[in-house]
């Protein structure tokens, strides 16, 4: 079974440009999460989808970030326009269920997309 | 607010040594979950273990063991007879009672030398 896959693995853009990151969750996982780790900091939560709906977007830093999950399958995270402080590693995770369903709520992570804004 | 602290940023050991990675957490929730993830050089975060706040039993899985102590708010991870393949960054994380987000510690980079 394929794990969580993220594209691209590395993206280098200039300040002011737009970048779109993609995440394909594990097949059958309704829950999808985005996290990021900026240089020297902890991994921080960005948002959580249940199918195509945003369940929690409390971690989104500002309106330059737009996440979508059309059809409840893969998700994209767009940064427009990118700023220097957006550099970091963006992780995606998925889980089969949520915390009310014991044993199905473990979040499985992808390898991340390393974003470098110059 | 929740917080996870991994005070050891980097540990270096020689193969076959035992090593313990520390994790201290803060939460006001009475129900919560603790996790350990491993990040090998390939980059993905690999799930290792989940423990809920009502289960203080220590757990052993092969060379890995976990010591959960609510009295000291700690969830430490020990690798016995370390191997080079154990070299990675290890993250401790906490999920509280509300929401589904994980709160991560800063990670501990473990280097096992042959």
């Amino acid at each position: 079974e394929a794990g969580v896959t993220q594209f691209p693995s590395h993206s280098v853009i200039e300040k002011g440009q737009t970048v779109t990151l993609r995440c394909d969750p594990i097949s059958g996982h309704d829950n999808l999460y985005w996290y990021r780790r900026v240089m020297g900091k902890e991994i921080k939560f960005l948002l959580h989808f249940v199918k195509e709906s945003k369940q929690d977007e409390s971690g989104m830093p500002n309106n330059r970030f737009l996440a979508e999950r059309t059809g409840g399958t893969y998700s994209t995270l767009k940064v427009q326009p990118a700023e220097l402080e957006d550099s970091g590693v963006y992780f995606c995770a998925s889980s089969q269920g949520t915390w009310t369903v014991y044993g199905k709520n473990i979040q499985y992570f992808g390898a991340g997309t390393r974003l470098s804004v110059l | 607010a929740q917080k996870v602290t991994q005070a050891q940023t980097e540990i270096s050991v020689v193969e076959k040594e035992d090593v313990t990675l520390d994790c201290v957490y803060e939460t006001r929730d009475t129900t919560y979950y603790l996790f350990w993830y491993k990040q090998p050089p390939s980059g993905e975060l690999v799930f290792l273990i989940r423990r809920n706040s009502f289960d203080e039993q220590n757990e052993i899985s092969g060379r890995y063991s976990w010591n959960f102590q609510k009295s000291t708010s700690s969830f430490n991870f020990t690798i016995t007879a370390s191997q080079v393949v154990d070299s990675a960054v290890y993250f401790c994380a906490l999920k509280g009672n509300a929401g589904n987000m994980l709160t991560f510690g800063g990670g501990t980079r473990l280097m096992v030398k042959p």
Side-chain angles (χ1 to χ4, degrees):
Chain A
E1 180 180 315
V4 176
T5 52
Q6 294 186 243
F7 307 95
S9 58
H10 193 183
S11 180
V12 181
I13 61 173
E14 293 189 353
K15 175 183 174 181
Q17 290 186 324
T18 298
V19 62
T20 300
L21 314 180
R22 171 170 168 148
C23 169
D24 285 70
I26 293 171
S27 178
H29 282 196
D30 286 339
N31 294 267
L32 187 148
Y33 312 81
W34 284 98
Y35 293 80
R36 75 171 178 176
R37 188 182 195 195
V38 296
M39 187 66 71
K41 302 283 189 179
E42 293 85 3
I43 300 171
K44 295 283 192 185
F45 169 82
L46 295 178
L47 88 160
H48 169 209
F49 282 100
V50 178
K51 296 186 180 179
E52 67 276 7
S53 300
K54 292 176 185 175
Q55 181 80 8
D56 180 357
E57 49 185 333
S58 61
M60 294 289 266
N62 53 60
N63 59 10
R64 295 185 295 102
F65 289 76
L66 175 63
E68 295 180 322
R69 192 181 182 197
T70 306
T73 54
Y74 70 89
S75 175
T76 57
L77 179 64
K78 179 187 289 187
V79 185
Q80 179 181 29
E83 298 290 342
L84 299 179
E85 62 265 25
D86 300 332
S87 296
V89 181
Y90 289 76
F91 290 101
C92 177
S94 71
S95 68
Q96 187 173 1
T98 62
W99 297 100
T100 60
V101 184
Y102 187 77
K104 297 183 180 180
N105 46 25
I106 295 168
Q107 295 181 30
Y108 296 93
F109 284 77
T113 293
R114 181 174 297 278
L115 175 63
S116 300
V117 183
L118 307 178
Chain B
Q2 297 172 136
K3 186 177 180 181
V4 176
T5 301
Q6 295 179 253
Q8 307 147 307
T9 55
E10 200 167 289
I11 301 175
S12 181
V13 299
V14 177
E15 204 170 20
K16 297 184 183 177
E17 286 185 6
D18 298 348
V19 58
T20 295
L21 310 182
D22 297 333
C23 173
V24 175
Y25 62 92
E26 297 176 29
T27 180
R28 294 183 178 179
D29 293 340
T30 54
T31 301
Y32 52 89
Y33 295 80
L34 295 162
F35 301 79
W36 277 94
Y37 285 87
K38 172 183 180 180
Q39 186 184 35
S42 53
E44 76 276 19
L45 296 174
V46 177
F47 167 78
L48 295 179
I49 189 172
R50 176 191 61 193
R51 172 68 71 229
N52 74 56
S53 53
F54 297 108
D55 182 3
E56 286 194 73
Q57 279 190 328
N58 291 332
E59 180 152 342
I60 298 175
S61 176
R63 296 183 297 104
Y64 294 173
S65 62
W66 290 269
N67 183 358
F68 175 31
Q69 291 196 338
K70 289 180 74 171
S71 60
T72 55
S73 297
S74 65
F75 187 43
N76 296 338
F77 174 28
T78 298
I79 301 175
T80 302
S82 59
Q83 299 176 1
V84 173
V85 293
D86 296 326
S87 297
V89 181
Y90 291 85
F91 291 96
C92 180
L94 165 74
K95 191 223 104 66
N97 202 25
N100 296 284
M101 71 178 75
L102 297 178
T103 299
F104 282 86
T108 297
R109 179 177 298 278
L110 173 64
M111 293 177 290
V112 182
K113 299 177 181 178

